[in-house]
Amino acid sequence: MGKLSDDEIRHIVQKATFLQKHGERTPLGKATASNEEIQALYEITDELGIPRKFAYEAYIELGGIPVQEPMVIDNHDFNSTKVVGYARGTIDKGLFNELKGQAEFHFNTMGKVSQRRNKYIWKAKPVGPSKFIASSNSPEIEFEKIDGNTKVIVSQSLKTLNKLYLPGIAVAFGGFMLFAGTIFGQTGSEVAPPLIVSLLILTASVFYTRFINGRKKKRKKDLQELTETLLGKIERHLKSTILTKEVEQEQGDEKGQIEIPENEYEEESVENDSRSRIK
């Protein structure tokens, strides 16, 4: 069927089924795209009983939604980080359920939702030992409505990773003391073995620190990718909503249009003109 592979079709059907479960149940009406790919896809989803609205949203998401790259903002204490991004469109109940599910899947934990005047806030609520770990209980996502757009803030604590620096610092300090003792003749006549050991310890501590730095960079990159995914879903929902409204408007115009035959219109004009002359 067109350029879509079997795996892509399977992915779209699964995604459309998820959207049908959590989204608003509003029909899309007649077909909204004329290309052969989407028409062939509709034939499959129609047989499965999936509304075309959700099939089209899944189709859009598969193609990718370009969004503005979110910004990574580090706090001055280096104990936490957050990512800020903006998307066109607002969030309804169905879309928020999808965003909530995406957040819980990413952080592998359930969350608590609170709502303010123009904000939805999702806060991680892990169970068991994980609730005492900062990296597990700190994730928070804030969706704020601003002039028809949505501001997304994803934040997470880095305290757990920062604590992993302590063993590296201790090992580096021990290696430095051994190196200093060797240089200043405090380790006896044998100089080469302690010098080699101290250098190995210092080298290991450097690589360990680089490893922790890499983990922190990866954590920030994962948060940035999650934010981009959330922004893409909001943009996709807006695009699908606009398309739905256009289709409904076209259908309304077609139903509301009254066709008047030209001969009837001319006869009515002649009759009105005769009456005005008699008066």
Side-chain angles (χ1 to χ4, degrees):
M1 59 164 289
K3 298 179 181 180
L4 293 175
S5 65
D6 293 340
D7 290 337
E8 290 174 331
I9 296 172
R10 191 178 300 108
H11 174 79
I12 291 176
V13 170
Q14 291 175 350
K15 182 65 178 177
T17 304
F18 177 84
L19 292 172
Q20 181 183 6
K21 181 179 179 181
H22 295 284
E24 296 180 350
R25 284 165 173 74
T26 55
L28 183 62
K30 66 178 183 180
T32 58
S34 58
N35 69 71
E36 295 180 358
E37 274 190 358
I38 191 65
Q39 293 297 339
L41 177 64
Y42 284 159
E43 293 179 4
I44 297 175
T45 54
D46 288 346
E47 293 180 359
L48 297 174
I50 301 175
R52 294 185 175 185
K53 169 184 170 60
F54 307 118
Y56 186 74
E57 287 199 30
Y59 177 80
I60 293 176
E61 184 165 321
L62 179 67
I65 302 295
V67 296
Q68 183 179 1
E69 184 177 0
M71 300 176 293
V72 179
I73 302 175
D74 289 323
N75 293 338
H76 296 294
D77 57 3
F78 299 103
N79 285 328
S80 62
T81 188
K82 65 179 179 179
V83 182
V84 180
Y86 297 86
R88 297 177 302 165
T90 56
I91 299 175
D92 56 26
K93 183 178 180 181
L95 178 58
F96 180 75
N97 288 336
E98 182 186 353
L99 300 177
K100 175 175 173 289
Q102 184 69 38
E104 293 176 348
F105 173 78
H106 178 86
F107 294 110
N108 194 28
T109 180
M110 301 297 290
K112 179 181 178 182
V113 178
S114 58
Q115 184 176 1
R116 299 178 185 174
R117 181 179 179 182
N118 60 338
K119 291 182 181 180
Y120 284 105
I121 300 175
W122 178 89
K123 174 70 175 177
K125 289 294 180 182
V127 295
S130 298
K131 64 183 179 181
F132 301 106
I133 302 176
S135 60
S136 299
N137 61 32
S138 64
E140 181 176 306
I141 304 178
E142 180 179 304
F143 304 94
E144 182 179 3
K145 180 180 178 182
I146 302 177
D147 297 331
N149 299 319
T150 301
K151 178 182 179 181
V152 180
I153 302 176
V154 180
S155 59
Q156 188 175 18
S157 172
L158 299 177
K159 290 182 179 179
T160 302
L161 286 174
N162 289 341
K163 291 178 180 179
L164 296 178
Y165 283 115
L166 298 178
I169 295 174
V171 171
F173 180 76
F176 177 77
M177 293 300 294
L178 180 59
F179 177 81
T182 303
I183 294 298
F184 292 102
Q186 301 298 321
T187 58
S189 59
E190 294 291 335
V191 176
L195 183 62
I196 294 174
V197 171
S198 64
L199 291 176
L200 289 175
I201 292 175
L202 291 173
T203 303
S205 64
V206 171
F207 279 103
Y208 178 79
T209 302
R210 291 181 62 181
F211 171 75
I212 300 303
N213 288 337
R215 296 293 297 176
K216 291 184 69 173
K217 289 181 180 179
K218 185 178 184 304
R219 180 69 56 81
K220 295 176 183 179
K221 183 179 179 181
D222 290 343
L223 293 180
Q224 191 173 19
E225 290 178 353
L226 171 63
T227 306
E228 289 180 350
T229 299
L230 298 176
L231 296 176
K233 291 180 181 298
I234 298 172
E235 294 268 3
R236 178 215 70 205
H237 187 70
L238 173 65
K239 185 175 182 179
S240 176
T241 301
I242 292 175
L243 184 61
T244 303
K245 290 182 179 179
E246 290 177 352
V247 172
E248 291 177 350
Q249 184 177 1
E250 289 178 2
Q251 292 177 340
D253 293 341
E254 291 176 359
K255 293 180 180 179
Q257 185 177 0
I258 301 176
E259 297 182 358
I260 302 177
E262 293 183 0
N263 56 348
E264 293 184 7
Y265 181 79
E266 291 176 355
E267 290 177 3
E268 184 178 354
S269 300
V270 172
E271 183 178 352
N272 290 336
D273 184 60
S274 301
R275 289 179 180 178
S276 61
R277 289 181 180 179
I278 295 174
K279 292 179 180 180

